[in-house]
Each structure stands twice: as structure tokens, then as C-alpha cells.
């Protein structure tokens, strides 16, 4: 048993980190929701949603900064310091990639949104919802099974994302004759697929935390 774990039995549980975790995961859902909404809107109506995504990504960075600041201020933490850093950083990485996908769609003026792009934003939204579910179960560690179940669903979604991405890239190279279109669609798809990979990374951190407290 680590020294930090021993201290956890001797002092009240920290009340600062869990609200930050939950705010980060809620922010992530909102960002993913706006992205999925954006790809179901005409080009001229997406800009407002893209601006909201930018603000949410900035908010996510601020939550990450605040969490790391609390780490430097607090000697006693609700669980291992490296796990806190890994969790908030991995959540922020998901937000970065989702915002990156929106940024590329805006930059490249992607007019026609393919079914694959819509499917990947849907998968990412569902993965983010499962991250939020697991994060909310961290407080008190009373329902470890709920955490591991949510992580298992995220892993399945990541596998699904790989399949959608691989099929989409094959179809682009098979059917697209305009090199510019080929490159911009490939780029957007790649960032969306990476976002799901980052969701899997969050699940890995959450599972590691769950195992330590099971």
C-alpha cells in the first residue's frame, strides 16, 4: 500500500478533483454533440457550431490547467497523482482531436459530409458519453463494475471506428478522382479515428484506476 493510499484513510476525501473530472467529461460530451450536430447541417450553418466547439475546447484546456494546478497545491489526493494527471490529460486529448476535426472541416470547406464522417462523429459521441459514465463512478469507488463496463464499451466502439475508417479510406481511394478532395476527406477521417483512439486511452486510464481500488 502506497503512502498516499495510507493517508487517504486518515484525512477527508478531497472535494476539488472529482468536480473537475466531471466538468471535463461533461464538457467533452457537449463538444462531441456539437460536432455530430455540425456534420448533419448544411455548410453555411456549421460555423456557429464550430465556434462553440472552439470555446469548449478552450474550456477543456482550462479545466486541465486547473486540475494540474490543484495537483501542485494539494499533498493529499483522492488517488495516485500520476493517475490524476493521466486522466485529465487523456480527456483533453480527445477534445483536441474532436476540435481538430471541426477545424479541418472548416479550413478545407468540406461541403459534402459522407456517411462515414457522420458515423465516426456518432461513435465518438457515444464513446464520450461512456467516459462521462465512468468518470461519475470514480467518486467513492462504490461501483467499480460500472467503470469497467463503460470502458469495455469504449473499446468496442474503438474497434468499430477502425472498421468504419478503413472502409471509408478504401472507398475514397477507389472512387475519388479529385486529389484535393481525396486528401481533405482522408485528413478529416483520420483525425476522427484518432479521437476514438484517444477515447480508448481514457478508458485505459480509468481501468487502471479501477483495478487499484477494486
Amino acid at each position: 500500500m502506497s503512502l498516499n493510499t495510507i493517508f487517504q484513510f486518515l484525512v477527508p476525501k478531497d472535494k476539488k478533483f472529482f468536480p473537475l473530472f466531471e466538468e471535463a467529461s461533461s464538457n467533452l460530451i457537449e463538444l462531441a454533440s456539437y460536432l455530430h450536430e455540425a456534420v448533419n447541417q448544411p455548410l453555411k450553418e456549421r460555423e456557429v457550431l464550430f465556434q462553440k466547439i472552439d470555446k469548449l475546447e478552450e474550456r477543456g484546456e482550462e479545466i486541465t490547467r486547473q486540475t494540474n494546478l490543484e495537483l501542485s497545491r494539494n499533498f493529499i489526493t483522492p488517488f495516485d497523482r500520476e493517475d490524476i494527471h493521466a486522466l485529465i490529460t487523456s480527456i483533453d486529448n480527445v477534445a483536441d482531436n474532436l476540435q481538430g476535426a471541426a477545424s479541418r472541416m472548416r479550413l478545407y470547406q468540406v461541403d459534402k459530409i459522407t456517411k462515414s464522417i457522420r458515423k465516426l462523429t456518432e461513435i465518438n459521441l457515444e464513446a464520450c458519453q461512456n467516459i462521462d459514465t465512468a468518470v461519475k463512478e470514480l467518486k467513492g469507488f462504490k461501483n467499480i463494475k460500472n467503470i469497467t463496463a463503460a470502458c469495455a464499451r469504449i473499446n468496442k466502439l474503438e474497434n468499430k471506428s477502425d472498421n468504419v475508417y478503413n472502409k471509408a479510406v478504401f472507398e475514397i481511394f477507389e472512387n475519388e478522382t479529385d486529389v484535393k478532395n481525396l486528401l481533405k476527406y482522408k485528413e478529416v477521417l483520420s483525425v476522427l479515428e484518432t479521437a476514438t483512439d484517444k477515447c480508448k486511452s481514457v478508458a485505459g486510464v480509468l481501468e487502471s484506476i479501477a483495478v487499484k481500488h477494486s
Side-chain angles (χ1 to χ4, degrees):
M1 182 179 290
S2 68
L3 181 61
N4 190 54
T5 303
I6 294 171
F7 271 114
Q8 289 174 36
F9 290 106
L10 303 176
V11 299
K13 293 292 184 183
D14 179 84
K15 296 181 179 180
K16 296 178 180 178
F17 290 101
F18 291 120
L20 286 167
F21 299 149
E22 292 178 11
E23 186 178 357
S25 62
S26 294
N27 188 72
L28 194 59
I29 288 180
E30 193 172 359
L31 197 161
S33 297
Y34 280 133
L35 181 59
H36 186 52
E37 183 180 348
V39 300
N40 286 284
Q41 298 291 334
L43 178 63
K44 62 182 181 180
E45 296 180 20
R46 292 178 208 151
E47 181 58 30
V48 173
L49 295 168
F50 287 158
Q51 289 177 13
K52 290 181 179 180
I53 288 169
D54 288 343
K55 290 180 180 178
L56 288 167
E57 193 272 336
E58 290 173 3
R59 178 58 189 150
E61 290 184 348
E62 175 58 25
I63 296 168
T64 300
R65 188 194 71 81
Q66 185 63 39
T67 304
N68 288 325
L69 187 61
E70 291 298 339
L71 271 178
S72 68
R73 290 173 173 172
N74 291 272
F75 178 66
I76 304 301
T77 57
F79 47 87
D80 290 347
R81 306 175 72 83
E82 60 267 26
D83 288 334
I84 291 174
H85 178 73
L87 177 58
I88 202 67
T89 301
S90 61
I91 291 175
D92 191 42
N93 287 339
V94 177
D96 286 345
N97 278 275
L98 292 176
Q99 188 275 336
S103 177
R104 283 163 176 79
M105 281 186 258
R106 173 197 279 156
L107 178 65
Y108 303 148
Q109 289 291 295
V110 177
D111 186 4
K112 181 183 177 181
I113 300 294
T114 64
K115 291 182 179 179
S116 298
I117 290 175
R118 289 193 181 95
K119 189 61 182 177
L120 286 173
T121 61
E122 180 184 338
I123 289 171
N124 273 297
L125 174 55
E126 189 175 348
C128 291
Q129 290 167 338
N130 278 283
I131 288 172
D132 186 62
T133 296
V135 165
K136 287 177 178 175
E137 295 290 356
L138 287 175
K139 191 182 297 182
F141 296 101
K142 295 179 180 178
N143 296 297
I144 298 295
K145 289 183 179 180
N146 290 346
I147 297 175
T148 55
C151 291
R153 290 192 294 270
I154 293 169
N155 288 332
K156 287 182 179 180
L157 287 165
E158 193 274 334
N159 290 332
K160 189 175 181 180
S161 173
D162 284 344
N163 292 333
V164 172
Y165 171 76
N166 290 333
K167 182 180 178 182
V169 170
F170 171 79
E171 290 176 349
I172 289 172
F173 279 95
E174 187 75 10
N175 303 318
E176 185 58 64
T177 56
D178 188 315
V179 176
K180 289 183 179 179
N181 280 337
L182 188 152
L183 291 174
K184 68 183 182 182
Y185 280 111
K186 171 72 165 55
E187 181 73 11
V188 171
L189 288 164
S190 179
V191 179
L192 286 171
E193 193 274 333
T194 300
T196 323
D197 286 343
K198 299 301 181 182
C199 288
K200 184 177 180 180
S201 296
V202 178
V205 176
L206 287 164
E207 284 185 313
S208 176
I209 295 169
V211 167
K212 293 177 182 179
H213 291 267
S214 59

